[in-house]
Each structure stands twice: as C-alpha cells, then as structure tokens.
Amino acid sequence: MRGATALVSQRQDSLDVAFVIPRSGPEGIFGPSCEACGKLAVDEINSASGVLTRELRLHVVNGGQAPERVARDVDALVRAGKVQAVAGWHISAVRQQIDRVVAGRVPYVYSTLYEGGERTEGVFLTGETPDRQVLPALTWMARELAVRTWCIVGDDYVWPRASARVARRFARRSAGIRVLDEVFVPLGTEDFASAVRRVRGSGARGVLMFLVGSDAVRFNRAFVAAGLDQRCVRLSPLMEENMLLASGVANTRDLYATAGFFEALVTSAGLDFSRRYVERFGITAPALNSMGESCYEALTFMARLAERAGSIELDRLCAAADELAYESPRGVVRMVGNHLLQSVYLARAEGLEFDVIAQLAGPPRS
C-alpha cells in the first residue's frame, strides 16, 4: 500500500479523519445530523481511550460540493499528512472521485447506503445495499399491500441508475412485479411537474424513489398536489426524519422508507443510542436519522477495526476486516468482505414520524 505507513506515522498522538458530510446541495438537509452524530462518536471513542490510545479528530469536508472539488479537498489533506483516514456520508458520485485519490493510501469508510459492487481495496462500506434493502421491500409491498407495478423516479447519477437496474432485474425474475416506467431528473431539480405526469401516465400503483434530500421533499409536495397519493404508495431507501418535516404532514400519506436505523426503532441498542444523542445535544438537536447514525457507525467501525488489527496501517486493517462483528445502534453488525451486514427495517410515515412495521433483512449470521 503506497505511502500508508508514512502517512500514519506523522502523528502518533492523534488519528485525524477527513469527515466528508454534506453541508450544501440537495443532501445538505441532513448534514447537521451527520455532523452531530460524528461528534457523538468522537466523544465516546475518545472517552474510552481513543483509537489505539490516539485521540480521534475530525476535519470536516463539505461533501455537498461538486465531486471533483470534494476529491481535491480530501487529496490535499492526505498529501499534507493532515489526515490518516477518510469517512462519512456523501453520494456515490463523490465516493467514486474520492476512490481515485485515496485508494491504497489511507483507509476509507463509506457510510452511505449505495448501489453495491464497490470492491476497491481499503474501502470499507457500512451502508445498506439494494439486495438487503430495496428488493425485500418490493417483495413485502407485493405480498402485504398487493402493490406490484412500479414507476421509478430518481436523480440522474450513479446510485439511482444502478439501483434502478437492480430493481428492474429483480422485477423480471419475480412473478407479478413489474417496472412500468423510469424517470431520471438532474440532481437539484426544483420542478417535478413532468415527473409527476409520467408517474400518472404509467398507471403504476407504487413509486420507487431514488431521490436525494430536498429533491425528494419537492417531489413529495408535487406528488400530493397532483392527488397521486390517493392511488399510489411511495417507497424510498433514502427518506429520513428531516425530510418528513420538510415535506410537511399533508405530504407523507402512504410513504414508506427502508433503512438499517430509524429514530423510532424500538430495540435496546437503538433506544440507548437515541438517549445518548439527546443527552449530548438536547431536545433541539437536529432530528436523529439513518444518515446521521451511519456517520456514527462509520467512525465506530473504524475504531473497532483498528482495535482488532492492532494498527491503523492499511494492510493490517484490510487483513482484519473480514468477519469483524460488534454491537451497534443497528444491533449486531458483521463485516463480510468489505461490506457491513446489518438488519434492515421497513417503516411507514405517520405524519412527521416513522412507524417501524417490519424487519426485512435479519441480523448477519454468526
């Protein structure tokens, strides 16, 4: 691994991480939650002796910028020896650019749900993938709600398009499930009138949303304004509590979401995490959600992996990663290859909150 040992040896008293989270763009709506959860992880890790006795420190990089700009910012920090690792929530278009500048140099923990298929050595993926998130949800909707026809509406970049391909392949193999139409819009779209017309014209009973942040909020408003909530359900793998609040109580009818964590998740680990979050930041803190929790997850994973490897050198981290298991706010999680397997849940929006109604993917096997 080129340069890895030299990079980590420059600071023996701390482990400095480029923490790439959205502070602008459509995904900026949940950036404050990501930052708060990152701070909580740092507090807890450092109070428990740090990462191999090193103080964990975050250097926030705005992941909502253009992907090339984000990669340049991360590369500059790595080149200057200011950071020895990268982590955080950002879209796949940003991940692909960061991959190009950090591969083989420093560990990179990508916390975001994503389209699957990432195999770059030294990149560890702690988010959900369609095979354990979207596909089981489609099966549940067909069985429990008799929703078998879908129109896909997504932002036009790698995660929505690749995830839509996974859904299409699944529908072709599944008796009775069909994708009738697909609509992709530029990231940052404000006017969804054309997309809503396509949904109406498709005749689909459900809309599979691959929309990010404020794009999903605007779509929700346009969807309900057109009266489509009277005939269609919506299903999103990227819908969280801040987006419900922004959508408004009138615009969340028959809206379903699937994720590895919800603030309303009634498990001992989830409830304890929510309690610690409120104790640390108070009741006026940014709404806790799966995107924010995933940032906590990424940093916790990094600390657990370093503990198992006895080092933060990239070669040793890669060797120690497979089959790492621990208890997290998402329950028991386990690393298989470079992906963290976890339980996944389905929730239905009830006004401005989620009600978790089913477990779609069980805990990883021991």
Side-chain angles (χ1 to χ4, degrees):
M1 302 289 179
R2 53 192 174 88
T5 302
L7 285 168
V8 299
S9 65
Q10 291 192 25
R11 289 192 181 199
Q12 295 298 325
D13 59 335
S14 65
L15 173 62
D16 291 73
V17 177
F19 190 48
V20 186
I21 56 173
R23 283 181 157 176
S24 59
E27 63 273 37
I29 190 170
F30 41 79
S33 301
C34 292
E35 190 160 4
C37 288
K39 290 177 180 177
L40 179 60
V42 167
D43 288 350
E44 293 184 353
I45 290 168
N46 285 339
S47 67
S49 78
V51 180
L52 299 177
T53 73
R54 299 185 185 190
E55 178 189 8
L56 178 62
R57 302 198 297 198
L58 302 182
H59 299 252
V60 176
V61 175
N62 180 10
Q65 304 173 98
E68 296 80 6
R69 172 63 185 274
V70 180
R72 285 198 300 271
D73 290 350
V74 172
D75 186 43
L77 289 170
V78 173
R79 286 180 179 276
K82 293 182 178 179
V83 302
Q84 297 84 48
V86 180
W89 197 106
H90 37 277
I91 65 173
S92 286
V94 171
R95 184 196 82 248
Q96 291 179 330
Q97 292 296 321
I98 292 177
D99 272 357
R100 295 189 175 102
V101 300
V102 305
R105 300 169 71 191
V106 296
Y108 176 18
V109 185
Y110 184 62
S111 74
T112 315
L113 68 126
Y114 89 114
E115 65 279 1
E118 173 67 76
R119 292 291 183 268
T120 304
E121 190 174 15
V123 178
F124 307 100
L125 302 115
T126 60
E128 305 92 331
T129 50
D131 60 321
R132 290 177 61 86
Q133 185 184 26
V134 175
L135 305 188
L138 292 176
T139 300
W140 189 95
M141 302 290 273
R143 183 182 67 245
E144 301 295 331
L145 303 180
V147 176
R148 298 183 175 89
T149 55
W150 294 88
C151 180
I152 293 172
V153 180
D155 285 313
D156 192 5
Y157 74 98
V158 59
W159 169 64
R161 285 195 172 273
S163 297
R165 285 196 296 272
V166 173
R168 283 199 312 272
R169 287 196 299 267
F170 177 74
R172 285 196 295 267
R173 300 193 306 265
S174 302
I177 298 178
R178 291 185 295 154
V179 175
L180 302 181
D181 198 4
E182 298 176 63
V183 185
F184 294 97
V185 300
L187 191 63
T189 288
E190 296 189 4
D191 184 355
F192 279 91
S194 176
V196 166
R197 285 194 295 271
R198 287 278 291 275
V199 173
R200 185 187 297 279
S202 74
R205 287 280 320 283
V207 178
L208 181 53
M209 298 169 57
F210 294 116
L211 295 166
V212 177
S214 58
D215 287 10
V217 169
R218 294 189 184 100
F219 176 78
N220 282 338
R221 294 171 180 170
F223 179 88
V224 174
L228 286 175
D229 61 317
Q230 301 300 313
R231 52 174 275 194
C232 294
V233 303
R234 286 161 287 169
L235 171 64
S236 172
L238 203 167
M239 182 63 59
E240 48 81 58
E241 287 77 359
N242 290 290
M243 293 158 67
L244 288 186
L245 290 168
S247 295
V249 68
N251 300 313
T252 62
R253 180 177 183 270
D254 280 339
L255 173 60
Y256 293 78
T258 174
F261 177 86
F262 291 96
E263 185 180 18
L265 186 62
V266 185
T267 63
S268 59
L271 290 171
D272 187 57
F273 178 69
S274 297
R275 175 189 58 76
R276 300 197 314 271
Y277 182 84
V278 172
E279 286 179 352
R280 171 64 174 82
F281 299 107
I283 60 173
T284 61
L288 185 57
N289 57 75
S290 60
M291 290 71 170
E293 189 280 336
S294 77
C295 292
Y296 177 94
E297 198 73 58
L299 296 171
T300 301
F301 167 80
M302 185 180 295
R304 293 297 187 96
L305 181 59
E307 179 183 350
R308 188 177 196 211
S311 172
I312 56 171
E313 293 185 18
L314 198 49
D315 287 335
R316 293 178 65 178
L317 292 174
C318 290
D322 198 30
E323 297 301 319
L324 171 66
Y326 60 93
E327 180 85 16
S328 91
R330 300 186 176 214
V332 176
V333 296
R334 181 179 299 277
M335 203 69 176
V336 177
N338 63 338
H339 286 75
L340 194 69
L341 299 186
Q342 58 204 265
S343 298
V344 178
Y345 303 89
L346 181 70
R348 180 178 53 233
E350 299 289 350
L352 300 180
E353 298 180 347
F354 282 114
D355 178 24
V356 180
I357 58 175
Q359 183 171 326
L360 298 175
R365 294 177 181 176
S366 58

